């Protein structure tokens, strides 16, 4: 019988000897798993790896440290990012980007992997138009709102955090006969709220992509609460400003003085915690794919996952187009909520 052997194909690219990796924007559980995958697959292809601390800020301020295979041991299961993160204003300026370029040249870095969301890819896109060092992105944000990929690192962990938190709130809501307005993260993006709301059986889900909020709440009051429900959960996506749930709750209280309403803003707890298996696997696949893409001379692209397979999405598409909400999900919620 023929014996099967597994062989790792080692790729080479004469122009690429050393790569940088950074995390940028809001942190997301699974970023460490991506850093580990980038580091280990780059080393497997005989590349040197430099960790850049504090995102683009660290690029400008020269916060570079070499990463080794053992240096990324024991981080796979941890939330946050060992490389730290930041939202850099200076990288928005030409002067900031020139400093970053000089630092990369001085350190001999030939390409950079950026792990972050659309704000980070916008920065990477501008940089790539001005300078000849290729940037490749890995989508990581709990919002799962990036065009061209079905999945962003951190989303599944955050979704499970939302579900655990709301399940607990439901206990107290039921005991007291209260209606809870629960604010879930997601700047201009309602996917976390929508799927979180469906997973906890929320009576009302309010997201920026659908403006039927009043109808939904009124339906709940007239059909659900007034008839048989003694408590309820209203899940609200944060939208443009944090604390929007407070305003909506106040309005609902004025219109329905007999309701006992409370507000709970889940906040940044949604960004922490150990990544779920799904986040670890997605981060590992995309980390390896990002290094492959660099060795294949790709630039200004994000690696993503579509139907479980790796895809390459140009930065300009990933940042300009919207990740639309699945209308079927909205319809499902409408159908099953009493
Ligand atoms: O983009 C991720 C995210 O967590 C959004 O859901 C939220 O609106 C935003 O970041 C909060 O950002 P910050 O941590 O800077 O307050």
């Amino acid at each position: 019988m023929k014996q099967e052997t597994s062989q790792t194909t080692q790729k080479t690219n004469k122009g690429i000897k050393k790569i940088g990796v950074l995390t940028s924007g809001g942190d997301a559980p699974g970023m460490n798993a991506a850093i580990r995958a980038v580091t280990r697959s780059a080393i497997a292809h005989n590349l040197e790896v430099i960790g850049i601390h504090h995102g683009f800020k660290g690029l400008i301020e020269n916060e570079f440290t070499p990463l080794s295979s053992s240096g990324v041991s024991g981080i796979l299961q941890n939330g946050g990012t060992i490389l730290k993160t930041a939202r850099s204003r200076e990288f928005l300026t030409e002067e900031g980007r020139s400093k970053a370029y000089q630092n990369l040249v001085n350190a001999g870095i030939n390409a950079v992997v950026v792990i972050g969301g659309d704000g980070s890819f916008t920065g990477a896109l501008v940089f790539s138009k001005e300078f000849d060092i290729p940037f490749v992105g890995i989508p990581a944000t709990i919002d799962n709102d990036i065009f061209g990929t079905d999945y962003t690192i951190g989303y599944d962990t955050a979704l499970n955090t939302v579900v655990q938190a709301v399940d607990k709130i439901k206990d107290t809501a039921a005991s007291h006969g209260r209606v809870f307005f629960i604010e879930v993260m997601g700047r201009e993006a309602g996917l976390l709220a929508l799927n979180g709301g469906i997973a906890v059986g929320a009576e009302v889900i309010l997201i920026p992509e659908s403006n039927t909020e009043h109808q939904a709440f009124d339906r709940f009051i007239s059909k659900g609460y007034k008839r048989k429900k003694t408590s309820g959960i209203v899940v609200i996506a944060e939208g443009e400003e944090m604390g929007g749930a407070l305003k909506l709750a106040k309005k609902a209280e004025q219109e329905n003085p007999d309701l006992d309403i409370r507000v709970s803003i889940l906040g940044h707890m949604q960004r922490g915690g150990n990544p779920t298996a799904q986040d670890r696997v997605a981060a590992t696949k995309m980390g390896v794919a990002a290094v492959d893409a660099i060795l294949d001379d790709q630039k200004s692209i994000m690696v993503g996952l579509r139907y479980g397979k790796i895809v390459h999405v140009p930065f300009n598409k990933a940042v300009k187009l919207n990740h639309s909400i699945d209308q079927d999900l909205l319809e499902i919620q409408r159908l099953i909520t009493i």
Side-chain angles (χ1 to χ4, degrees), residues 25-28 87 117-118 140-145 184-189 192 238-242 267-268 270-271:
D27 61 349
R87 301 189 198 271
D118 55 357
T141 159
I142 64 161
D143 296 348
N144 200 8
D145 61 345
V184 167
M185 268 189 168
R187 193 183 284 153
E188 298 164 35
L192 194 56
E238 171 192 54
E240 273 168 25
E241 94 183 279
M242 199 173 164
H268 286 78
Q270 294 161 94
R271 288 234 300 258

Side-chain angles (χ1 to χ4, degrees), residues 7-315:
Q7 267 187 333
T8 316
T9 333
Q10 200 181 62
K11 290 188 179 178
T12 49
N13 179 325
K14 283 203 182 98
I16 311 281
K17 300 271 178 253
K18 199 189 265 188
I19 66 165
V21 56
L22 60 85
T23 48
S24 162
D27 61 349
M31 279 182 158
N32 282 328
I35 295 167
R36 173 179 175 269
V38 168
T39 305
R40 293 215 170 145
S41 73
I43 291 170
H45 293 300
N46 276 331
L47 304 178
E48 276 181 69
V49 187
I50 302 294
I52 299 156
H53 286 248
H54 298 110
F56 294 130
K57 186 171 166 282
L59 208 52
I60 296 168
E61 291 173 11
N62 227 341
E63 293 183 65
F64 297 174
T65 330
L67 288 176
S68 65
S69 222
S70 58
V72 293
S73 264
I75 64 168
L76 172 72
Q77 68 275 26
N78 297 335
T81 158
I82 58 157
L83 292 177
K84 316 290 180 197
T85 186
R87 301 189 198 271
S88 168
R89 298 219 135 267
E90 212 188 336
F91 201 72
L92 300 176
T93 67
E94 250 181 81
E95 202 194 334
R97 290 191 298 275
S98 300
K99 272 196 212 161
Y101 177 69
Q102 264 322 311
N103 290 338
L104 287 170
V105 172
N106 295 343
I109 296 174
N110 313 117
V112 177
V113 177
V114 176
I115 306 168
D118 55 357
S120 312
F121 298 158
T122 305
L125 174 65
V126 176
F127 183 92
S128 301
K129 284 183 183 159
E130 294 167 339
F131 302 105
D132 56 358
I133 295 183
F135 275 41
V136 165
I138 297 179
T141 159
I142 64 161
D143 296 348
N144 200 8
D145 61 345
I146 300 184
F147 177 84
T149 182
D150 294 336
Y151 197 72
T152 63
I153 297 166
Y155 174 68
D156 187 58
T157 308
L159 184 58
N160 281 289
T161 301
V162 169
V163 170
Q164 282 164 20
V166 181
D167 279 350
K168 288 179 181 159
I169 293 172
K170 274 182 94 166
D171 291 345
T172 175
S175 305
H176 285 266
R178 285 174 171 158
V179 176
F180 267 84
F181 279 58
I182 301 172
E183 186 171 298
V184 167
M185 268 189 168
R187 193 183 284 153
E188 298 164 35
L191 200 62
L192 194 56
L194 180 57
N195 274 321
I198 289 174
V200 298
E203 277 71 21
V204 183
I205 302 173
L206 308 178
I207 57 170
E209 294 89 341
S210 159
N211 55 5
T212 53
E213 53 191 63
H214 282 290
Q215 290 160 24
F217 189 72
D218 293 347
R219 198 173 57 229
F220 161 59
I221 295 299
S222 60
K223 289 203 174 146
Y225 196 74
K226 288 221 166 113
R227 279 199 212 152
K228 46 195 159 319
K229 294 220 167 187
T230 54
S231 64
I233 298 291
V234 179
V235 170
I236 301 151
E238 171 192 54
E240 273 168 25
E241 94 183 279
M242 199 173 164
L246 284 164
K247 279 191 205 151
L248 288 172
K250 200 164 223 124
K251 191 159 174 279
E253 227 162 27
Q254 280 160 359
E255 288 168 4
N256 305 277
D258 53 326
L259 291 188
D260 190 5
I261 294 179
R262 292 289 186 278
V263 178
S264 182
I265 297 172
L266 299 187
H268 286 78
M269 68 179 286
Q270 294 161 94
R271 288 234 300 258
N274 297 358
T276 58
Q278 183 172 345
D279 274 322
R280 298 179 198 192
V281 174
T284 303
K285 279 186 182 172
M286 291 199 266
V288 170
V291 173
D292 274 353
I294 285 174
L295 290 170
D296 286 340
D297 278 332
Q298 298 285 340
K299 53 183 130 187
S300 289
I301 59 125
M302 166 192 90
V303 296
L305 283 169
R306 294 279 283 160
Y307 307 106
K309 295 270 173 250
I310 290 292
V311 290
H312 291 174
V313 185
F315 277 150

